């Protein structure tokens, strides 16, 4: 049976999965599949779940990620993402993806709030300096 290698990279880890026979993902043009021997390609995957399996009778494994760059060449499929999760259980990985998305959204909210406070403090300080006669250039 024809197969290819899947290489997964994120900012904390990497994983190599051999003997992959099928991959299904989504990009801006829609859902697509990759089999061994596919022509070279590069695209960006959307936020969500992709899936792959190692053998035509094997169970699908799900790959959750907040988008990724996909590159396929010479029977090696490389995915680079900020973070990825791999699990055979669709329900479990969907739950984990939702939890991580909510946590990431909270972190971004806190970061935006912190930046807003910094901006307000900086503007207040500039106003105070202007009131005390210091020339700002």
């Amino acid at each position: 049976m024809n197969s290819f290698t899947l290489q997964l990279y994120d900012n904390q880890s990497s994983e190599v999965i051999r003997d992959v026979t099928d991959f299904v993902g989504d990009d801006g043009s829609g859902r697509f599949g990759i089999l061994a021997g596919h022509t070279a390609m590069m695209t960006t995957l959307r936020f969500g779940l992709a899936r792959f399996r190692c053998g035509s009778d094997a169970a699908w494994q799900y790959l959750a990620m907040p988008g990724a760059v996909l590159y396929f060449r010479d029977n090696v499929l490389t995915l680079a993402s900020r973070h990825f999760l791999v699990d055979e259980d669709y329900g479990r990985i969907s739950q984990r993806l939702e939890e991580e998305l909510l946590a990431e959204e909270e972190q971004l909210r806190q970061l935006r709030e912190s930046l807003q406070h910094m901006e307000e403090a900086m503007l207040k300080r500039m106003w105070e300096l202007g009131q005390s006669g210091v020339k700002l250039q």
Side-chain angles (χ1 to χ4, degrees):
M1 174 173 288
N2 292 334
S3 64
F4 57 92
T5 300
L6 174 59
Q7 298 176 334
L8 303 170
Y9 297 98
D10 70 11
N11 61 358
Q12 297 180 2
S13 64
S14 65
E15 189 171 336
V16 175
I17 303 166
R18 302 195 189 290
D19 301 320
V20 175
T21 55
D22 304 274
F23 175 87
V24 178
D26 290 294
D27 68 2
S29 65
R31 180 162 288 183
F32 64 93
I34 295 177
L35 301 171
H38 194 284
T39 186
M41 68 173 287
M42 181 178 234
T43 189
T44 54
L45 296 178
R46 292 182 173 177
F47 175 92
L49 294 175
R51 62 186 173 148
F52 65 92
R53 64 182 171 180
C54 301
S56 59
D57 296 334
W60 286 100
Q61 294 187 60
Y62 297 94
L63 176 61
M65 63 204 138
V69 175
L70 176 150
Y71 182 62
F72 186 84
R73 183 169 182 215
D74 297 330
N75 273 339
V76 176
L77 175 58
T78 303
L79 296 176
S81 180
R82 286 183 294 142
H83 185 63
F84 68 84
L85 302 168
V86 178
D87 200 319
E88 288 184 2
D89 185 295
Y90 179 82
R92 186 170 51 225
I93 198 165
S94 295
Q95 180 66 32
R96 288 174 62 194
L97 181 62
E98 182 178 344
E99 289 168 359
E100 290 200 9
L101 175 62
L102 291 174
E104 189 173 298
E105 285 179 2
E106 177 59 21
Q107 288 175 342
L108 288 173
R109 185 196 64 74
Q110 290 175 358
L111 178 63
R112 280 191 292 269
E113 188 177 299
S114 176
L115 289 173
Q116 183 178 358
H117 290 304
M118 288 172 47
E119 181 181 21
E120 289 170 358
M122 185 176 70
L123 290 173
K124 180 180 176 185
R125 181 68 180 140
M126 289 173 64
W127 182 81
E128 290 171 349
L129 287 172
Q131 293 297 321
S132 66
V134 175
K135 288 197 168 207
L136 300 174
Q137 295 183 1

